[in-house]
Short mmCIF file of all heavy atoms in Angstrom, two decimals:
data_model
loop_
_atom_site.label_atom_id
_atom_site.label_comp_id
_atom_site.label_asym_id
_atom_site.label_seq_id
_atom_site.Cartn_x
_atom_site.Cartn_y
_atom_site.Cartn_z
N ALA A 105 11.59 -7.74 17.49
CA ALA A 105 10.66 -7.64 16.37
C ALA A 105 10.09 -9.01 16.01
O ALA A 105 8.91 -9.14 15.72
CB ALA A 105 11.35 -7.00 15.17
N ARG A 106 10.97 -10.04 16.04
CA ARG A 106 10.46 -11.39 15.76
C ARG A 106 9.44 -11.80 16.80
O ARG A 106 8.41 -12.38 16.47
CB ARG A 106 11.61 -12.39 15.73
CG ARG A 106 12.34 -12.46 14.41
CD ARG A 106 13.24 -13.68 14.35
NE ARG A 106 14.21 -13.71 15.43
CZ ARG A 106 15.39 -13.09 15.42
NH1 ARG A 106 15.73 -12.40 14.37
NH2 ARG A 106 16.20 -13.17 16.44
N ASP A 107 9.71 -11.50 18.08
CA ASP A 107 8.76 -11.84 19.13
C ASP A 107 7.45 -11.10 18.95
O ASP A 107 6.39 -11.59 19.33
CB ASP A 107 9.33 -11.50 20.51
CG ASP A 107 10.49 -12.40 20.89
OD1 ASP A 107 10.65 -13.46 20.25
OD2 ASP A 107 11.24 -12.02 21.81
N ASN A 108 7.52 -9.90 18.40
CA ASN A 108 6.32 -9.10 18.22
C ASN A 108 5.63 -9.35 16.89
O ASN A 108 4.58 -8.79 16.63
CB ASN A 108 6.67 -7.62 18.35
CG ASN A 108 7.09 -7.27 19.76
OD1 ASN A 108 6.74 -7.95 20.71
ND2 ASN A 108 7.86 -6.21 19.89
N ASP A 109 6.23 -10.18 16.05
CA ASP A 109 5.63 -10.51 14.76
C ASP A 109 4.49 -11.49 14.98
O ASP A 109 4.70 -12.58 15.51
CB ASP A 109 6.70 -11.13 13.86
CG ASP A 109 6.19 -11.36 12.45
OD1 ASP A 109 4.96 -11.46 12.25
OD2 ASP A 109 7.04 -11.45 11.55
N PRO A 110 3.27 -11.14 14.57
CA PRO A 110 2.12 -12.04 14.79
C PRO A 110 2.33 -13.45 14.21
O PRO A 110 1.74 -14.40 14.70
CB PRO A 110 0.97 -11.33 14.10
CG PRO A 110 1.37 -9.90 14.05
CD PRO A 110 2.88 -9.89 13.94
N ASP A 111 3.18 -13.56 13.19
CA ASP A 111 3.44 -14.88 12.63
C ASP A 111 4.15 -15.79 13.64
O ASP A 111 4.13 -17.01 13.49
CB ASP A 111 4.29 -14.77 11.37
CG ASP A 111 3.53 -14.11 10.24
OD1 ASP A 111 2.28 -14.13 10.25
OD2 ASP A 111 4.18 -13.56 9.34
N ASN A 112 4.79 -15.19 14.64
CA ASN A 112 5.50 -15.97 15.66
C ASN A 112 4.71 -16.12 16.97
O ASN A 112 5.21 -16.69 17.92
CB ASN A 112 6.86 -15.31 15.97
CG ASN A 112 7.75 -15.32 14.76
OD1 ASN A 112 7.71 -16.24 13.95
ND2 ASN A 112 8.55 -14.28 14.61
N TRP A 113 3.50 -15.60 17.03
CA TRP A 113 2.70 -15.67 18.25
C TRP A 113 2.17 -17.10 18.43
O TRP A 113 1.94 -17.82 17.45
CB TRP A 113 1.51 -14.74 18.18
CG TRP A 113 1.85 -13.28 18.22
CD1 TRP A 113 3.09 -12.71 18.30
CD2 TRP A 113 0.93 -12.21 18.14
NE1 TRP A 113 2.98 -11.36 18.29
CE2 TRP A 113 1.68 -11.02 18.19
CE3 TRP A 113 -0.46 -12.14 18.03
CZ2 TRP A 113 1.07 -9.77 18.14
CZ3 TRP A 113 -1.05 -10.89 17.98
CH2 TRP A 113 -0.29 -9.72 18.04
N PRO A 114 1.94 -17.50 19.68
CA PRO A 114 1.31 -18.81 19.90
C PRO A 114 -0.15 -18.77 19.45
O PRO A 114 -0.73 -17.70 19.26
CB PRO A 114 1.42 -18.99 21.42
CG PRO A 114 1.54 -17.62 21.98
CD PRO A 114 2.24 -16.80 20.93
N ASP A 115 -0.72 -19.96 19.31
CA ASP A 115 -2.15 -20.02 18.98
C ASP A 115 -2.95 -19.35 20.09
O ASP A 115 -2.56 -19.40 21.26
CB ASP A 115 -2.60 -21.47 18.83
CG ASP A 115 -2.03 -22.11 17.56
OD1 ASP A 115 -1.70 -21.37 16.61
OD2 ASP A 115 -1.90 -23.35 17.56
N PRO A 116 -4.09 -18.76 19.74
CA PRO A 116 -4.90 -18.10 20.78
C PRO A 116 -5.32 -19.08 21.88
O PRO A 116 -5.72 -20.22 21.61
CB PRO A 116 -6.13 -17.60 20.02
CG PRO A 116 -5.65 -17.44 18.61
CD PRO A 116 -4.65 -18.55 18.41
N ALA A 117 -5.20 -18.61 23.12
CA ALA A 117 -5.62 -19.39 24.28
C ALA A 117 -7.04 -19.04 24.69
O ALA A 117 -7.68 -19.79 25.43
CB ALA A 117 -4.65 -19.16 25.43
N TYR A 118 -7.53 -17.89 24.24
CA TYR A 118 -8.87 -17.43 24.62
C TYR A 118 -9.60 -16.94 23.38
O TYR A 118 -8.99 -16.34 22.50
CB TYR A 118 -8.77 -16.27 25.63
CG TYR A 118 -8.04 -16.67 26.88
CD1 TYR A 118 -6.68 -16.44 27.01
CD2 TYR A 118 -8.70 -17.28 27.93
CE1 TYR A 118 -6.00 -16.82 28.15
CE2 TYR A 118 -8.03 -17.67 29.08
CZ TYR A 118 -6.67 -17.43 29.17
OH TYR A 118 -6.00 -17.82 30.30
N PHE A 119 -10.89 -17.21 23.34
CA PHE A 119 -11.73 -16.81 22.22
C PHE A 119 -12.93 -16.04 22.76
O PHE A 119 -13.57 -16.49 23.71
CB PHE A 119 -12.22 -18.02 21.43
CG PHE A 119 -11.10 -18.79 20.78
CD1 PHE A 119 -10.42 -19.77 21.47
CD2 PHE A 119 -10.71 -18.51 19.48
CE1 PHE A 119 -9.38 -20.47 20.89
CE2 PHE A 119 -9.67 -19.20 18.89
CZ PHE A 119 -9.00 -20.19 19.60
N LEU A 120 -13.23 -14.91 22.16
CA LEU A 120 -14.40 -14.13 22.54
C LEU A 120 -15.20 -13.82 21.28
O LEU A 120 -14.65 -13.29 20.31
CB LEU A 120 -14.01 -12.81 23.19
CG LEU A 120 -13.40 -12.85 24.58
CD1 LEU A 120 -12.98 -11.44 25.01
CD2 LEU A 120 -14.39 -13.43 25.57
N ASP A 121 -16.48 -14.15 21.30
CA ASP A 121 -17.38 -13.76 20.21
C ASP A 121 -18.17 -12.56 20.69
O ASP A 121 -19.07 -12.69 21.52
CB ASP A 121 -18.31 -14.91 19.85
CG ASP A 121 -19.21 -14.56 18.66
OD1 ASP A 121 -19.23 -13.39 18.23
OD2 ASP A 121 -19.88 -15.48 18.15
N CYS A 122 -17.82 -11.40 20.20
CA CYS A 122 -18.44 -10.14 20.63
C CYS A 122 -19.40 -9.59 19.58
O CYS A 122 -19.79 -8.43 19.64
CB CYS A 122 -17.36 -9.11 20.93
SG CYS A 122 -16.16 -9.63 22.18
N THR A 123 -19.78 -10.42 18.61
CA THR A 123 -20.57 -9.92 17.48
C THR A 123 -21.97 -9.48 17.88
O THR A 123 -22.56 -8.67 17.19
CB THR A 123 -20.65 -10.98 16.36
OG1 THR A 123 -21.16 -12.20 16.91
CG2 THR A 123 -19.29 -11.20 15.73
N ASP A 124 -22.51 -10.01 18.97
CA ASP A 124 -23.87 -9.63 19.38
C ASP A 124 -23.87 -8.61 20.51
O ASP A 124 -24.92 -8.32 21.08
CB ASP A 124 -24.65 -10.87 19.81
CG ASP A 124 -24.96 -11.78 18.64
OD1 ASP A 124 -25.06 -11.27 17.51
OD2 ASP A 124 -25.10 -13.00 18.85
N MET A 125 -22.72 -8.04 20.83
CA MET A 125 -22.63 -7.08 21.93
C MET A 125 -22.71 -5.66 21.40
O MET A 125 -22.19 -5.34 20.34
CB MET A 125 -21.31 -7.26 22.68
CG MET A 125 -21.14 -8.60 23.33
SD MET A 125 -19.51 -8.68 24.11
CE MET A 125 -19.47 -10.39 24.59
N ASP A 126 -23.35 -4.80 22.19
CA ASP A 126 -23.39 -3.37 21.87
C ASP A 126 -22.18 -2.68 22.50
O ASP A 126 -21.74 -3.05 23.58
CB ASP A 126 -24.67 -2.74 22.43
CG ASP A 126 -25.92 -3.24 21.73
OD1 ASP A 126 -25.84 -3.49 20.51
OD2 ASP A 126 -26.95 -3.40 22.41
N PRO A 127 -21.65 -1.66 21.79
CA PRO A 127 -20.53 -0.90 22.37
C PRO A 127 -20.94 -0.27 23.70
O PRO A 127 -22.09 0.14 23.84
CB PRO A 127 -20.24 0.18 21.32
CG PRO A 127 -20.85 -0.34 20.06
CD PRO A 127 -22.02 -1.19 20.47
N PRO A 128 -20.09 -0.20 24.67
CA PRO A 128 -18.68 -0.54 24.68
C PRO A 128 -18.39 -1.95 25.22
O PRO A 128 -17.27 -2.24 25.59
CB PRO A 128 -18.09 0.52 25.62
CG PRO A 128 -19.16 0.67 26.65
CD PRO A 128 -20.47 0.53 25.89
N GLU A 129 -19.41 -2.81 25.27
CA GLU A 129 -19.24 -4.12 25.89
C GLU A 129 -18.10 -4.95 25.28
O GLU A 129 -17.35 -5.58 26.03
CB GLU A 129 -20.56 -4.91 25.85
CG GLU A 129 -20.55 -6.15 26.72
CD GLU A 129 -20.34 -5.87 28.20
OE1 GLU A 129 -20.63 -4.76 28.67
OE2 GLU A 129 -19.85 -6.76 28.90
N PRO A 130 -17.92 -4.97 23.94
CA PRO A 130 -16.78 -5.73 23.42
C PRO A 130 -15.44 -5.25 23.99
O PRO A 130 -14.59 -6.06 24.37
CB PRO A 130 -16.85 -5.49 21.90
CG PRO A 130 -18.29 -5.26 21.65
CD PRO A 130 -18.76 -4.47 22.85
N MET A 131 -15.26 -3.93 24.07
CA MET A 131 -14.01 -3.40 24.61
C MET A 131 -13.87 -3.78 26.09
O MET A 131 -12.79 -4.20 26.52
CB MET A 131 -13.96 -1.87 24.46
CG MET A 131 -12.66 -1.27 24.95
SD MET A 131 -12.36 0.41 24.40
CE MET A 131 -13.38 1.34 25.51
N VAL A 132 -14.94 -3.71 26.84
CA VAL A 132 -14.90 -4.08 28.26
C VAL A 132 -14.53 -5.54 28.42
O VAL A 132 -13.67 -5.90 29.24
CB VAL A 132 -16.26 -3.77 28.94
CG1 VAL A 132 -16.33 -4.37 30.32
CG2 VAL A 132 -16.52 -2.27 28.95
N GLN A 133 -15.15 -6.42 27.62
CA GLN A 133 -14.88 -7.86 27.72
C GLN A 133 -13.43 -8.18 27.34
O GLN A 133 -12.77 -8.98 28.00
CB GLN A 133 -15.84 -8.63 26.80
CG GLN A 133 -17.27 -8.59 27.24
CD GLN A 133 -17.50 -9.35 28.54
OE1 GLN A 133 -16.95 -10.43 28.75
NE2 GLN A 133 -18.31 -8.77 29.41
N ILE A 134 -12.95 -7.57 26.27
CA ILE A 134 -11.58 -7.84 25.81
C ILE A 134 -10.56 -7.37 26.84
O ILE A 134 -9.64 -8.10 27.21
CB ILE A 134 -11.35 -7.19 24.43
CG1 ILE A 134 -12.18 -7.93 23.37
CG2 ILE A 134 -9.86 -7.20 24.06
CD1 ILE A 134 -12.26 -7.22 22.03
N LEU A 135 -10.74 -6.15 27.34
CA LEU A 135 -9.78 -5.63 28.33
C LEU A 135 -9.83 -6.43 29.63
O LEU A 135 -8.79 -6.68 30.25
CB LEU A 135 -10.05 -4.14 28.59
CG LEU A 135 -9.75 -3.22 27.41
CD1 LEU A 135 -10.16 -1.79 27.73
CD2 LEU A 135 -8.28 -3.28 27.00
N ALA A 136 -11.02 -6.87 30.03
CA ALA A 136 -11.14 -7.68 31.26
C ALA A 136 -10.42 -9.02 31.08
O ALA A 136 -9.72 -9.49 31.99
CB ALA A 136 -12.61 -7.90 31.61
N GLN A 137 -10.59 -9.63 29.92
CA GLN A 137 -9.91 -10.91 29.68
C GLN A 137 -8.40 -10.74 29.66
O GLN A 137 -7.66 -11.53 30.22
CB GLN A 137 -10.39 -11.53 28.36
CG GLN A 137 -9.77 -12.87 28.05
CD GLN A 137 -10.13 -13.92 29.10
OE1 GLN A 137 -11.30 -14.15 29.41
NE2 GLN A 137 -9.10 -14.54 29.69
N LEU A 138 -7.93 -9.67 29.04
CA LEU A 138 -6.49 -9.42 28.98
C LEU A 138 -5.89 -9.19 30.36
O LEU A 138 -4.73 -9.52 30.59
CB LEU A 138 -6.20 -8.23 28.06
CG LEU A 138 -6.39 -8.50 26.57
CD1 LEU A 138 -6.40 -7.20 25.78
CD2 LEU A 138 -5.30 -9.44 26.05
N GLU A 139 -6.67 -8.63 31.28
CA GLU A 139 -6.17 -8.38 32.63
C GLU A 139 -5.78 -9.67 33.35
O GLU A 139 -4.89 -9.66 34.19
CB GLU A 139 -7.21 -7.63 33.46
CG GLU A 139 -7.41 -6.20 33.04
CD GLU A 139 -6.18 -5.33 33.30
OE1 GLU A 139 -5.54 -5.49 34.36
OE2 GLU A 139 -5.87 -4.50 32.43
N VAL A 140 -6.43 -10.77 33.02
CA VAL A 140 -6.16 -12.04 33.73
C VAL A 140 -5.26 -12.98 32.92
O VAL A 140 -4.96 -14.08 33.38
CB VAL A 140 -7.47 -12.76 34.12
CG1 VAL A 140 -8.28 -11.90 35.07
CG2 VAL A 140 -8.28 -13.14 32.89
N MET A 141 -4.85 -12.56 31.75
CA MET A 141 -4.01 -13.42 30.92
C MET A 141 -2.53 -13.20 31.22
O MET A 141 -2.11 -12.05 31.41
CB MET A 141 -4.27 -13.13 29.42
CG MET A 141 -5.62 -13.58 28.95
SD MET A 141 -6.05 -13.03 27.27
CE MET A 141 -4.66 -13.59 26.32
N PRO A 142 -1.74 -14.27 31.23
CA PRO A 142 -0.29 -14.11 31.38
C PRO A 142 0.30 -13.41 30.15
O PRO A 142 -0.22 -13.54 29.04
CB PRO A 142 0.23 -15.54 31.47
CG PRO A 142 -0.95 -16.39 31.72
CD PRO A 142 -2.14 -15.66 31.20
N GLU A 143 1.38 -12.70 30.37
CA GLU A 143 2.07 -12.01 29.28
C GLU A 143 2.46 -13.01 28.19
O GLU A 143 2.97 -14.09 28.50
CB GLU A 143 3.31 -11.30 29.81
CG GLU A 143 4.02 -10.49 28.76
CD GLU A 143 5.23 -9.77 29.33
OE1 GLU A 143 5.43 -9.77 30.56
OE2 GLU A 143 5.99 -9.20 28.53
N GLY A 144 2.21 -12.67 26.96
CA GLY A 144 2.59 -13.52 25.84
C GLY A 144 1.45 -14.37 25.30
O GLY A 144 1.52 -14.83 24.17
N GLN A 145 0.41 -14.61 26.12
CA GLN A 145 -0.72 -15.40 25.60
C GLN A 145 -1.54 -14.55 24.64
O GLN A 145 -1.51 -13.32 24.69
CB GLN A 145 -1.60 -15.91 26.74
CG GLN A 145 -0.98 -17.09 27.44
CD GLN A 145 -2.00 -17.84 28.27
OE1 GLN A 145 -2.97 -17.26 28.74
NE2 GLN A 145 -1.75 -19.12 28.47
N VAL A 146 -2.29 -15.22 23.79
CA VAL A 146 -3.01 -14.55 22.72
C VAL A 146 -4.51 -14.76 22.87
O VAL A 146 -4.98 -15.84 23.20
CB VAL A 146 -2.53 -15.08 21.34
CG1 VAL A 146 -3.34 -14.47 20.21
CG2 VAL A 146 -1.05 -14.79 21.16
N LEU A 147 -5.24 -13.69 22.64
CA LEU A 147 -6.69 -13.66 22.66
C LEU A 147 -7.18 -13.44 21.23
O LEU A 147 -6.64 -12.59 20.51
CB LEU A 147 -7.17 -12.50 23.55
CG LEU A 147 -8.61 -12.03 23.39
CD1 LEU A 147 -9.55 -13.04 24.01
CD2 LEU A 147 -8.80 -10.66 24.03
N PHE A 148 -8.20 -14.19 20.82
CA PHE A 148 -8.85 -13.97 19.53
C PHE A 148 -10.25 -13.48 19.81
O PHE A 148 -10.97 -14.07 20.62
CB PHE A 148 -8.90 -15.26 18.71
CG PHE A 148 -9.62 -15.10 17.40
CD1 PHE A 148 -8.95 -14.64 16.29
CD2 PHE A 148 -10.97 -15.39 17.29
CE1 PHE A 148 -9.60 -14.47 15.08
CE2 PHE A 148 -11.63 -15.22 16.09
CZ PHE A 148 -10.95 -14.76 14.98
N ALA A 149 -10.63 -12.39 19.18
CA ALA A 149 -11.98 -11.86 19.34
C ALA A 149 -12.61 -11.63 17.98
O ALA A 149 -11.95 -11.21 17.04
CB ALA A 149 -11.95 -10.55 20.13
N LEU A 150 -13.89 -11.92 17.92
CA LEU A 150 -14.68 -11.69 16.72
C LEU A 150 -15.62 -10.54 17.03
O LEU A 150 -16.36 -10.57 18.03
CB LEU A 150 -15.46 -12.96 16.38
CG LEU A 150 -16.02 -13.10 14.99
CD1 LEU A 150 -14.92 -12.99 13.94
CD2 LEU A 150 -16.74 -14.42 14.85
N LEU A 151 -15.58 -9.50 16.20
CA LEU A 151 -16.34 -8.28 16.45
C LEU A 151 -17.19 -7.90 15.25
O LEU A 151 -16.89 -8.31 14.13
CB LEU A 151 -15.38 -7.13 16.77
CG LEU A 151 -14.43 -7.39 17.93
CD1 LEU A 151 -13.05 -6.88 17.64
CD2 LEU A 151 -14.99 -6.77 19.17
N GLU A 152 -18.21 -7.11 15.52
CA GLU A 152 -19.08 -6.66 14.44
C GLU A 152 -18.44 -5.54 13.62
O GLU A 152 -18.73 -5.38 12.45
CB GLU A 152 -20.40 -6.16 15.02
CG GLU A 152 -21.46 -5.88 14.00
CD GLU A 152 -22.79 -5.56 14.64
OE1 GLU A 152 -23.35 -6.48 15.26
OE2 GLU A 152 -23.22 -4.41 14.53
N ARG A 153 -17.54 -4.77 14.25
CA ARG A 153 -16.88 -3.65 13.56
C ARG A 153 -15.46 -3.48 14.07
O ARG A 153 -15.11 -4.05 15.10
CB ARG A 153 -17.67 -2.36 13.75
CG ARG A 153 -17.75 -1.92 15.20
CD ARG A 153 -18.62 -0.71 15.35
NE ARG A 153 -19.99 -1.07 15.04
CZ ARG A 153 -21.03 -0.92 15.85
NH1 ARG A 153 -20.86 -0.33 16.99
NH2 ARG A 153 -22.23 -1.30 15.53
N GLU A 154 -14.68 -2.69 13.35
CA GLU A 154 -13.30 -2.42 13.76
C GLU A 154 -13.32 -1.64 15.07
O GLU A 154 -13.96 -0.59 15.15
CB GLU A 154 -12.57 -1.63 12.68
CG GLU A 154 -11.12 -1.42 12.99
CD GLU A 154 -10.37 -0.73 11.85
OE1 GLU A 154 -11.04 -0.21 10.93
OE2 GLU A 154 -9.14 -0.72 11.88
N PRO A 155 -12.62 -2.10 16.09
CA PRO A 155 -12.68 -1.45 17.41
C PRO A 155 -11.70 -0.29 17.53
O PRO A 155 -10.72 -0.36 18.28
CB PRO A 155 -12.34 -2.60 18.35
CG PRO A 155 -11.38 -3.42 17.56
CD PRO A 155 -11.85 -3.34 16.13
N VAL A 156 -11.96 0.80 16.84
CA VAL A 156 -11.00 1.91 16.78
C VAL A 156 -10.74 2.54 18.14
O VAL A 156 -9.65 3.07 18.38
CB VAL A 156 -11.44 2.98 15.76
CG1 VAL A 156 -11.38 2.42 14.36
CG2 VAL A 156 -12.83 3.51 16.07
N PHE A 157 -11.70 2.48 19.06
CA PHE A 157 -11.49 3.06 20.39
C PHE A 157 -10.73 2.10 21.31
O PHE A 157 -10.23 2.50 22.34
CB PHE A 157 -12.82 3.47 21.01
CG PHE A 157 -13.51 4.55 20.22
CD1 PHE A 157 -14.67 4.29 19.53
CD2 PHE A 157 -12.97 5.82 20.13
CE1 PHE A 157 -15.30 5.26 18.78
CE2 PHE A 157 -13.58 6.81 19.38
CZ PHE A 157 -14.75 6.54 18.71
N LEU A 158 -10.68 0.86 20.94
CA LEU A 158 -9.94 -0.13 21.73
C LEU A 158 -8.43 -0.01 21.49
O LEU A 158 -7.65 -0.22 22.42
CB LEU A 158 -10.41 -1.55 21.37
CG LEU A 158 -9.67 -2.71 22.02
CD1 LEU A 158 -9.82 -2.68 23.54
CD2 LEU A 158 -10.19 -4.04 21.45
N PHE A 159 -8.03 0.33 20.29
CA PHE A 159 -6.60 0.32 19.95
C PHE A 159 -5.75 1.20 20.87
O PHE A 159 -4.70 0.75 21.34
CB PHE A 159 -6.40 0.71 18.49
CG PHE A 159 -7.02 -0.26 17.50
CD1 PHE A 159 -7.64 0.21 16.37
CD2 PHE A 159 -6.99 -1.62 17.73
CE1 PHE A 159 -8.21 -0.68 15.46
CE2 PHE A 159 -7.56 -2.52 16.83
CZ PHE A 159 -8.18 -2.04 15.69
N PRO A 160 -6.15 2.44 21.17
CA PRO A 160 -5.32 3.23 22.10
C PRO A 160 -5.22 2.61 23.49
O PRO A 160 -4.19 2.71 24.15
CB PRO A 160 -6.03 4.59 22.15
CG PRO A 160 -6.88 4.64 20.93
CD PRO A 160 -7.24 3.23 20.61
N GLU A 161 -6.30 1.94 23.92
CA GLU A 161 -6.27 1.28 25.23
C GLU A 161 -5.30 0.11 25.22
O GLU A 161 -4.57 -0.11 26.20
CB GLU A 161 -7.68 0.79 25.61
CG GLU A 161 -8.65 1.90 25.90
CD GLU A 161 -8.25 2.72 27.12
OE1 GLU A 161 -7.72 2.15 28.10
OE2 GLU A 161 -8.45 3.95 27.09
N LEU A 162 -5.30 -0.64 24.13
CA LEU A 162 -4.36 -1.77 24.02
C LEU A 162 -2.92 -1.25 24.05
O LEU A 162 -2.07 -1.82 24.73
CB LEU A 162 -4.62 -2.56 22.74
CG LEU A 162 -5.96 -3.29 22.65
CD1 LEU A 162 -6.12 -3.93 21.28
CD2 LEU A 162 -6.10 -4.32 23.75
N GLN A 163 -2.68 -0.20 23.31
CA GLN A 163 -1.33 0.35 23.26
C GLN A 163 -0.90 0.86 24.64
O GLN A 163 0.22 0.60 25.07
CB GLN A 163 -1.25 1.47 22.23
CG GLN A 163 0.17 2.01 22.08
CD GLN A 163 0.31 2.95 20.90
OE1 GLN A 163 -0.64 3.22 20.19
NE2 GLN A 163 1.49 3.45 20.71
N ALA A 164 -1.77 1.58 25.31
CA ALA A 164 -1.43 2.13 26.63
C ALA A 164 -1.13 1.03 27.65
O ALA A 164 -0.35 1.24 28.57
CB ALA A 164 -2.58 3.01 27.13
N ARG A 165 -1.74 -0.13 27.45
CA ARG A 165 -1.55 -1.23 28.40
C ARG A 165 -0.45 -2.21 27.97
O ARG A 165 -0.25 -3.23 28.60
CB ARG A 165 -2.87 -1.98 28.59
CG ARG A 165 -3.93 -1.06 29.21
CD ARG A 165 -5.30 -1.67 29.18
NE ARG A 165 -6.28 -0.64 29.54
CZ ARG A 165 -7.34 -0.87 30.27
NH1 ARG A 165 -7.60 -2.07 30.72
NH2 ARG A 165 -8.18 0.11 30.53
N GLY A 166 0.22 -1.89 26.87
CA GLY A 166 1.37 -2.69 26.44
C GLY A 166 1.02 -3.94 25.67
O GLY A 166 1.86 -4.83 25.51
#
Side-chain angles (χ1 to χ4, degrees):
R106 277 193 303 275
D107 291 344
N108 292 337
D109 186 337
D111 292 337
N112 297 327
W113 292 0
D115 289 335
Y118 300 94
F119 297 86
L120 290 176
D121 183 351
C122 302
T123 55
D124 291 333
M125 297 178 188
D126 293 324
E129 192 61 24
M131 183 164 79
V132 170
Q133 292 292 319
I134 290 168
L135 293 175
Q137 181 62 54
L138 287 167
E139 289 293 320
V140 298
M141 290 171 54
E143 183 178 353
Q145 283 196 333
V146 176
L147 162 74
F148 177 85
L150 198 57
L151 304 140
E152 189 173 293
R153 63 185 67 123
E154 185 175 12
V156 293
F157 297 111
L158 176 62
F159 297 141
E161 291 296 323
L162 294 175
Q163 184 170 1
R165 297 170 191 217

